[in-house]
Amino acid sequence: CEVRPGPEFLTRSYLFYANRLFKAYQFYYWDPSCRDPSYSLVIKGKLRLRQASWITRGATEADYHLHKVGIVFHSQRAMREVATWINQTSGEGCRGFLPPGRTWAPGALYELLSAKTERDCTAALGFAMHELSLVRVEKHYQPLLQPQQSGSQLVEELYLGDIHTEWVERLHYRPTGYQRPMQSAVHHVHPCPACGIIYRADEHHPPILPARAQLPMQLSGSWVSTHCEVRPAVLFLTRYFIFHGNNHTWEGYYYHYSDPLCKQPTFTIYASGHYTQGIPSSKVRGGTELAFKVTQARVTPMDQVTVMMLNSSEPGSCGLTSSWSAGVEQDITPTNGCLALGIKLPHTEYELFKMEQDTKDRSLLYVGERPTDGSSPDSPDKRPTSYQAPLIQCAGASEEFSNYISLKYLGRKDVNGNEALKPLPVAFLLFIALLFLRWD
């Protein structure tokens, strides 16, 4: 069950044909468990892949054209709400989309968009398919689950463009990051109870996902990214957090890279501070609202481009003036942060968290999605209404785990005999990721 900014709760099922046509289903719900359907959209159009993206490395840019968009309501309430949105915010051609008092007809399909008649009543729903303008397919192999079997099975995942966190920007935003990946119906991660349910659904029979227990927010222990994460505005990173539940303090490591595989480090940020007691979110059901205060931060530049940028920053705005060098950590707390990297100290962020268990009973932690415009959720009205990719709990790790991860780098000689920098924390994260892959 996906959570989009707003919040919106939905599941998706997309089918792409060899002749470049596509048919997409988007199923919307009242609840964050995707068990109470509101309405379904059926979307038909054509997609043309173009060239490799100049902005988001590893992605392909695409053009799409919508032929039809239809809507099926699953209750009188849903029909009434959507009709009100369209009648209030659409132009003359849509004002009579549904006459007042029209009763709900189960299974009836109403046309929201038609290329033939040039009618488009989708804007009132905040609907756009700009996610199709940025595409990436990843393939990897997952070990077979049964102990008696050896080998692995192919997994294919489709990454589509991200959705802008501001509702008014969604209609014309061109993605530079991704949503969470969609699974191939044939080659998907196992187990995936939701995959078959969503695949077999259509606009008249929306998927009802299995009930799942809601986990209490117990914020403690160590949590790490499961893969290289892509953020809007060309940011590639992995995250590692340690939460100390006994005194409500936290530490975070943000490893930044220049490539979509997270193999070319650019800089690392270490931040720490404390957080408030969480309260249930009134806006995003299932979420918990917290406030995080950042009081200390350190930066380690990892390539010469970052070193040059930091050394040319305004004196007194980012650590000791002209003192940066690759692989050497520096405290930026005395300069109240680092202007060049957009870090301001002390700093408070208003966050949204959620805990879940995956199909293998591993604990997942969802942290609020960052604003698409690159700003910070530094006031309650900027608090996220959707989530980033989940972090996974480091199994069996104690709070002393952080003692083994430092931001120091070990000098190694490369093939030419020159000093080379080897980032220990990143290697350790990759080691953790390989363990998860091997023992899944």
Side-chain angles (χ1 to χ4, degrees):
C1 188
E2 301 178 58
V3 183
R4 281 186 175 178
E8 288 180 329
F9 309 113
L10 76 156
T11 57
R12 295 176 294 154
S13 175
Y14 293 3
L15 180 60
F16 298 93
Y17 299 95
N19 60 0
R20 302 196 305 211
L21 294 175
F22 71 86
K23 182 179 184 180
Y25 292 112
Q26 293 184 355
F27 307 101
Y28 290 81
Y29 302 80
W30 298 110
D31 68 300
S33 301
C34 290
R35 293 181 55 77
D36 185 9
S38 170
Y39 62 87
S40 299
L41 299 179
V42 55
I43 305 139
K44 296 180 180 179
K46 195 163 194 175
L47 181 73
R48 182 172 70 90
L49 297 178
R50 292 169 58 212
Q51 72 276 349
S53 173
W54 287 90
I55 300 173
T56 307
R57 287 178 60 187
T60 299
E61 293 179 358
D63 290 327
Y64 71 92
H65 179 69
L66 297 182
H67 298 160
K68 283 185 176 181
V69 178
I71 187 168
V72 174
F73 302 105
H74 303 303
S75 68
Q76 181 72 39
R77 175 190 168 195
M79 184 178 188
R80 187 170 58 248
E81 282 200 9
V82 172
T84 302
W85 297 340
I86 293 174
N87 290 338
Q88 286 177 351
T89 60
S90 300
E92 289 295 327
C94 299
R95 208 153 276 159
F97 173 71
L98 283 174
R102 171 76 68 88
T103 56
W104 170 53
L109 179 70
Y110 301 92
E111 195 172 77
L112 283 171
L113 179 148
S114 169
K116 282 187 179 178
T117 62
E118 298 185 350
R119 185 191 199 200
D120 185 357
C121 304
T122 59
L125 299 176
F127 169 83
M129 288 297 285
H130 298 328
E131 60 192 275
L132 293 177
S133 62
L134 197 71
V135 180
R136 177 183 172 95
V137 174
E138 285 193 4
K139 297 181 181 182
H140 62 270
Y141 287 88
Q142 178 188 26
L144 294 172
L145 296 175
Q146 287 75 18
Q148 67 273 18
Q149 292 181 306
S150 60
S152 56
Q153 56 198 11
L154 176 66
V155 172
E156 290 184 296
E157 296 178 315
L158 172 64
Y159 288 81
L160 296 177
D162 62 307
I163 307 299
H164 203 287
T165 51
E166 290 294 326
W167 182 276
V168 293
E169 300 291 336
R170 286 166 67 158
L171 299 182
H172 52 81
Y173 169 66
R174 292 291 164 173
T176 54
Y178 303 118
Q179 300 173 68
R180 289 190 65 196
M182 301 178 76
Q183 301 288 319
S184 162
V186 179
H187 304 293
H188 57 262
V189 170
H190 290 273
C192 181
C195 291
I197 297 171
I198 298 170
Y199 173 72
R200 290 188 292 269
D202 60 33
E203 67 269 36
H204 304 294
H205 308 92
I208 309 296
L209 298 191
R212 300 179 70 175
Q214 191 170 322
L215 294 183
M217 180 57 62
Q218 295 176 330
L219 208 51
S220 62
S222 305
W223 304 79
V224 70
S225 296
T226 59
H227 62 279
C228 185
E229 299 173 5
V230 183
R231 296 246 183 97
V234 204
L235 284 175
F236 307 105
L237 77 158
T238 57
R239 297 171 291 150
Y240 169 61
F241 289 127
I242 310 114
F243 299 102
H244 307 279
N246 55 340
N247 60 4
H248 281 212
T249 59
W250 69 279
E251 302 169 74
Y253 296 84
Y254 304 83
Y255 304 97
H256 290 258
Y257 304 83
S258 61
D259 68 297
L261 297 178
C262 287
K263 288 178 177 283
Q264 299 163 15
T266 53
F267 64 94
T268 296
I269 299 171
Y270 166 83
S272 64
H274 54 268
Y275 60 93
T276 62
Q277 185 75 39
I279 60 168
S281 172
S282 58
K283 197 168 186 181
V284 186
R285 283 171 54 193
T288 299
E289 295 181 352
L290 303 103
F292 277 76
K293 188 151 190 178
V294 189
T295 54
Q296 291 183 302
R298 305 194 295 263
V299 170
T300 308
M302 289 302 301
D303 64 355
Q304 287 305 318
V305 173
T306 307
V307 169
M308 289 171 61
M309 179 188 72
L310 295 176
N311 279 331
S312 61
S313 59
E314 188 180 330
S317 70
C318 187
L320 294 173
T321 306
S322 303
S323 64
W324 294 93
S325 58
V328 179
E329 176 192 89
Q330 191 174 146
D331 191 352
I332 57 170
T333 310
T335 52
N336 297 321
C338 180
L339 193 62
L341 296 176
I343 303 169
K344 188 173 82 174
L345 296 173
H347 178 66
T348 300
E349 295 197 344
Y350 295 84
E351 267 295 359
L352 180 75
F353 275 43
K354 176 179 70 168
M355 273 185 163
E356 280 187 359
Q357 277 190 323
D358 66 8
T359 51
K360 298 167 191 168
D361 295 327
R362 298 176 303 188
S363 296
L364 303 178
L365 177 65
Y366 291 82
V367 180
E369 188 173 0
R370 307 298 296 178
T372 306
D373 63 7
S375 65
S376 170
D378 54 7
S379 61
D381 61 302
K382 288 186 178 179
R383 193 187 299 275
T385 55
S386 55
Y387 302 99
Q388 299 176 51
L391 302 166
I392 194 163
Q393 189 164 32
C394 300
S398 66
E399 297 211 334
E400 285 73 41
F401 186 68
S402 60
N403 295 337
Y404 300 101
I405 294 191
S406 73
L407 294 180
K408 307 300 180 195
Y409 292 83
L410 182 64
R412 297 279 180 86
K413 301 226 184 232
D414 61 18
V415 289
N416 299 317
N418 300 319
E419 279 296 308
L421 291 169
K422 181 70 175 176
L424 293 178
V426 178
F428 195 73
L429 288 175
L430 290 174
F431 172 68
I432 294 168
L434 287 170
L435 282 181
F436 283 132
L437 289 171
R438 184 168 296 171
W439 296 110
D440 277 355

